[in-house]
Amino acid sequence: MSNRVVCREASHAGSWYSASGNCQRSTIPHAYKQVDPSITRRVFILGPSHHVPLSRCALSPADIYRTPLYDLRIDQKVYADLWKTGLFERMSLQTDEDEHSIEMHLPYTAKAMESHKDEFSIVPVLVGALSESKEQEYGKLLSKYLADPSNLFIISSDFCHWGQRFRYTYYDESQGEIYRSIEHLDKMGMGIIEQLDPMSFTNYLKKYRNTICGRHPIGVLLNAVAELRKSGLEMNFTFLNYAQSSQCRNWQDSSVSYAAGALIVH
C-alpha cells in the first residue's frame, strides 16, 4: 500500500487569479466576511463540473490542495464516509486540476481561515449535471453535515452567462437595456434562492433556462436545507452583492453575472 501524498497543484494561479491569491471575482469577498474561523473545522466546497460530463458527484484523488498561501488538507475521514454511500465517483487528478470552480475558492478559504490554518480540513465535491431526484438524494445525504455548526459550506457558481458566445440571449424588452433585463432575470432567481424552496428554483430554471453554472450545487444545498427544515431548524439566506462583468447593450455584447450570498443556520 502506497503512502505517497497526492497533491493537487494551484493550476489556475496566475490566470484566473493572481499568484498571490487575489481573485478577479469582486463579489466573492462579501461572502467570506461571514466566515468565523474560530468555530469552523471543516469546509465543504461544492463546484460544478465544466469540462467533464458527470451525472453524479465526484471526489478528488488528492490528499492536499495547494494554494498560493498554504496547503489545504482534504478530510479523508469524511471522504471515507461519503465513499461508503456508493453515490460518488472518483475524478482523475487531471480533471481536478483542469476544473476551476472549486479552485477559485481555495485562496479565499485559506485567507479566511488563516488564523486557524492548522485546525481545519476541506471536503471538495465536484457536482455533475444532476437530475432533480439526485439533487434531493445528495441534499439529504449532506444535510447532517450542514447541520453541524463546525462545518462551512461553500457553493461555487456564477450567474447569467449572456451573449451569443454562451448561446443564451434571453431579453425582456420591458426592462429596458439588455443588461437591465439580465439583472432582472438574475435577481428573480436570487429571490427564489432566498426563499430556500428547491422546487421553485427548479421551475425557474425550466422556465427561463438561465445559464447559472452552479445550478446543481445550489440545488443540492437547497435540498439539504429542505431536509433540515423538516426537523425544525431555522435558516435564512441573504444575497449580499451582485455585479456584471460588463453592461450588455447590443447583441454582439456578452457578460457574466456574479452574486454573493450567505446562508445562516440558527
Side-chain angles (χ1 to χ4, degrees):
M1 192 169 182
S2 171
N3 292 319
R4 183 173 69 93
V5 174
V6 178
C7 296
R8 181 202 185 277
E9 297 301 326
S11 51
H12 294 82
S15 55
W16 285 75
Y17 58 92
S18 74
S20 64
N22 292 322
C23 179
Q24 302 159 3
R25 310 295 173 91
S26 60
T27 66
I28 293 180
H30 291 270
Y32 279 87
K33 287 176 183 173
Q34 316 303 310
V35 176
D36 183 351
S38 67
I39 65 168
T40 302
R41 292 297 169 263
R42 198 177 289 110
V43 181
F44 287 74
I45 309 173
L46 276 60
S49 177
H50 286 88
H51 305 291
V52 173
L54 285 176
S55 60
R56 301 198 298 165
C57 291
L59 304 179
S60 173
D63 302 287
I64 298 291
Y65 271 23
R66 297 202 185 282
T67 83
L69 300 174
Y70 57 90
D71 292 347
L72 304 179
R73 176 176 48 86
I74 289 181
D75 193 309
Q76 295 299 338
K77 182 182 183 304
V78 171
Y79 255 27
D81 290 342
L82 295 179
W83 279 125
K84 287 176 191 171
T85 67
L87 295 176
F88 294 83
E89 53 192 86
R90 187 186 297 274
M91 60 178 128
S92 69
L93 187 61
Q94 185 66 55
T95 294
D96 201 350
E97 292 185 344
D98 286 347
E99 180 55 62
H100 63 271
S101 67
I102 293 172
E103 183 180 337
M104 296 297 289
H105 289 271
L106 301 180
Y108 283 103
T109 300
K111 187 65 179 174
M113 293 298 298
E114 199 164 23
S115 60
H116 291 73
K117 66 180 181 180
D118 298 322
E119 300 169 28
F120 81 100
S121 55
I122 63 170
V123 183
V125 178
L126 190 63
V127 179
L130 306 181
S131 64
E132 290 174 48
S133 61
K134 279 276 194 286
E135 287 182 1
Q136 291 169 9
E137 192 172 20
Y138 285 107
K140 189 171 184 178
L141 172 66
L142 294 174
S143 64
K144 68 175 181 179
Y145 299 103
L146 181 62
D148 185 340
S150 69
N151 291 334
L152 169 70
F153 271 70
I154 295 167
I155 308 300
S156 177
S157 182
D158 293 334
F159 265 70
C160 185
H161 296 62
W162 193 93
Q164 293 178 38
R165 71 190 184 102
F166 298 119
R167 296 189 289 279
Y168 185 77
T169 53
Y170 171 86
Y171 178 35
D172 178 355
E173 292 184 12
S174 70
Q175 298 301 318
E177 297 270 20
I178 292 172
Y179 72 89
R180 294 288 189 195
S181 169
I182 296 168
E183 180 175 356
H184 179 75
L185 176 69
D186 280 335
K187 291 195 170 174
M188 195 191 315
M190 291 159 66
I192 289 168
I193 291 169
E194 287 182 335
Q195 294 168 21
L196 297 175
D197 179 2
M199 186 54 68
S200 294
F201 185 59
T202 295
N203 291 337
Y204 161 82
L205 292 170
K206 284 179 179 176
K207 182 174 182 179
Y208 295 102
R209 303 287 174 187
N210 193 358
T211 46
I212 300 170
C213 62
R215 57 194 174 276
H216 296 296
I218 293 169
V220 170
L221 176 70
L222 293 179
N223 278 284
V225 167
E227 184 67 24
L228 292 179
R229 280 178 141 183
K230 292 177 186 174
S231 59
L233 264 184
E234 297 267 338
M235 280 163 279
N236 67 281
F237 191 101
T238 306
F239 275 97
L240 308 166
N241 201 50
Y242 174 79
Q244 295 176 0
S245 61
S246 61
Q247 293 188 339
C248 294
R249 290 183 164 86
N250 62 62
W251 298 106
Q252 284 69 51
D253 291 342
S254 64
S255 72
V256 178
S257 305
Y258 309 115
L263 173 74
I264 306 297
V265 182
H266 302 289

